[in-house]
Amino acid sequence: MCDAPVCLPAENSAKMADSVSAGLGEEKETDKEDKEKERKKVNAENNKDSSDATESLGFYDKNGSKTGKKKRNLSDLSLIRFISTELTRGYFLEHNEAKYTERRERVYTCLRIPKELEKLMTFGFFLCLDAFLYVFTLLPLRVLLALLRLLTLPCCGLSGSRMLQPAQVCDVLKGFIMVLCYSMMSYVDYSMMYHLIRGQSVIKLYIIYNMLEVADRLFSSFGQDILDALYWTATEPKEKKRAHIGVIPHFLMAVLYVFLHAILIMVQATTLNVAFNSHNKSLLTIMMSNNFVEIKGSVFKKFEKNNLFQMSNSDIKERFTNYVLLLIVCLRNMEQFSWNPDHLWVLFPDVVMVIASEVAVDVVKHAFITKFNDITADVYGEYRASLAFDLVSSRQKNAYTDYSDSVSRRMGFIPLPLALLLIRVVTSSVKIQGSLSFMCVLLFYLGTITLKVLNSIVLLGTSCMFVKEANMEEKLFQAPPSAASSRVSSRANRPKHTHAAPPQEPEADKAGASSPSITSQPAQLPDSPAPVLPPSDSDTFLTTPDEEDDDDKVLAAETGADGEGLKHRTPKKDLLEIDRFTICGNRID
């Protein structure tokens, strides 16, 4: 039994606890109801979206039915509803932004190709023009100076071990080759060759012209090797063991090559002249359409950056050669019409058509090659820098080749046969009689020398700018490569890849003196160890990956080196090595 005052508070506390628990239970129920309502609302919206999506496709799937039906009525599957759906459906390109951005960049690259390509072509054209004018202007003067030195040596006495410097020996050989070949070319009758070619059918001339183009590339490829062999045989130090057949056989081979190549170009120019003078211009049209066949043979092949550089050099050489051939055709036609200026306007449309077709083919070819191979238009700036490097390096004191020979190796353009043909055509077309004519010839020669000097100065300044922009100045001061006995021995002497920092400049240079010009030669430093990174050899051929592997095995067997050092060797990818593939220009390995 409990007292009444004690029991009342206990009952009150029990009632209060029941009321609090009841209140908490109601709050939980309301929260559950709210969450259930939100869940239903979300499900309803999802069902609405899915039903709308499936309805836009014209049918209902198992998750998109509105009223629980599995199939739609046949009345909803109407043609009008399908057409309205096709007319109103949409899509969003931003869902694949990367793809469309890439497509747009490709379009911009194709639009930039004509500008960048023509910059390269213009620079290469003036490089070829400089090497071509050298044969007419400076080469005769250098030959006269060399002969004068040779004649005055008995009076002055031998001041050194050499009677002539190696460059002078090469100049004298070039002069003798030109004189002998010109005397041989004087026996070739251009008129008889013209009428002989004109009597052939159109299809025969078309085939002959294509064969002449192939033969010209083959001659250019092998001809520069013949000339280089002659120059090296004539200037090789006598202390070495004789490993050649002699200077005279090499000289006779060089004379025969230049003569045959000049005859080949003469036939090519005569064929083009026949095409210009044909009545219906059918041969000229066929020959121009042959350029567009070149697009089919090159656009759909895989090209790397190095292969594109070869093709660009070949196109530069081909364009310059075509300009000289057009000049020869115009000279021959103007001679036949007694130098009537009105006939020049008759030839003008055909000349423009030939040049325009050549430019159009080059632009289309390069645009699609860069598009299909994902090559940017900036690569043509690298090509210009590589050609500029050849020009600047040939002006150094330690240069190991003449600039014209460097252009010949790089582009396959050999100026001697083309210059010989032009001299033959000009001397046969222009008659020089009287003192006034000789004065005109002298003034023309002085003007040609002035053009050559101005062109060389502008090219040298432009090339220095390109070399600086490409950060290739340090390569100019590397010593010229020494000849190796064999390919394996040159690889065996190659140092391991220890990435050392480049040699620091003297403190005096850092103090404040301006950097030397890139065409000047630095002072000779005291004897020091060989540099870690060897200079690039300009006369070694690049090899294919299979040949690299074979040479690595030979090197490992002969030097006893393990495979670790050979495995991490980086491949040659410098544009300065591209001309080692081939000289004719368009070979794709």
Side-chain angles (χ1 to χ4, degrees), residues 485-511:
S485 59
S486 64
R487 201 171 175 187
V488 176
S489 62
S490 64
R491 291 178 179 273
N493 294 328
R494 187 179 299 170
K496 300 295 185 293
H497 280 265
T498 56
H499 299 280
Q504 299 293 332
E505 297 180 357
E507 296 295 332
D509 295 341
K510 294 182 181 179

Side-chain angles (χ1 to χ4, degrees), residues 240-311:
K240 295 187 177 182
K241 183 180 178 181
R242 176 170 176 173
H244 53 80
I245 60 177
V247 179
I248 296 179
H250 280 284
F251 179 77
L252 294 178
M253 283 193 297
V255 171
L256 181 62
Y257 154 70
V258 173
F259 175 72
L260 293 179
H261 198 175
I263 293 295
L264 177 70
I265 301 175
M266 177 181 283
V267 176
Q268 196 171 0
T270 307
T271 307
L272 188 61
N273 194 8
V274 171
F276 268 66
N277 294 330
S278 59
H279 297 288
N280 53 5
K281 307 293 182 182
S282 59
L283 178 59
L284 186 62
T285 305
I286 293 175
M287 292 168 62
M288 294 305 101
S289 64
N290 187 41
N291 292 333
F292 292 91
V293 178
E294 184 181 354
I295 298 178
K296 177 183 177 182
S298 58
V299 164
F300 300 105
K301 292 182 180 179
K302 180 174 177 58
F303 275 80
E304 298 294 338
K305 185 171 68 171
N306 297 348
N307 303 124
L308 184 60
F309 187 35
Q310 297 176 47
M311 175 171 286

Side-chain angles (χ1 to χ4, degrees), residues 42-95:
V42 171
N43 292 335
E45 291 178 355
N46 292 336
N47 292 334
K48 182 178 179 181
D49 294 339
S50 62
S51 64
D52 293 341
T54 54
E55 185 178 0
S56 65
L57 295 176
F59 62 89
Y60 288 92
D61 56 8
K62 60 182 180 180
N63 296 322
S65 59
K66 290 182 179 179
T67 60
K69 295 181 179 180
K70 299 294 182 181
K71 297 180 180 180
R72 294 183 54 189
N73 295 329
L74 294 177
S75 60
D76 295 336
L77 300 174
S78 61
L79 181 61
I80 298 177
R81 187 175 184 83
F82 175 78
I83 295 176
S84 62
T85 303
E86 290 293 320
L87 293 176
T88 57
R89 67 183 179 88
Y91 49 87
F92 301 94
L93 298 180
E94 60 266 19
H95 292 168

Side-chain angles (χ1 to χ4, degrees), residues 25-38:
E26 290 178 357
E27 290 179 359
K28 291 180 179 180
E29 290 179 358
T30 55
D31 292 340
K32 290 181 179 181
E33 290 178 357
D34 293 339
K35 291 180 179 180
E36 188 67 24
K37 289 180 180 179
E38 291 179 359

Side-chain angles (χ1 to χ4, degrees), residues 117 120-128 309-323 362 387 411 413:
L117 178 63
L120 175 65
M121 290 289 179
T122 304
F123 183 69
F125 172 82
F126 284 104
L127 291 179
C128 293
F309 187 35
Q310 297 176 47
M311 175 171 286
S312 301
N313 291 332
S314 178
D315 291 338
I316 293 172
K317 175 252 180 183
E318 183 180 356
R319 185 176 295 190
F320 183 83
T321 305
N322 288 337
Y323 290 163
D362 290 339
L387 295 177
M411 299 182 183
F413 172 68

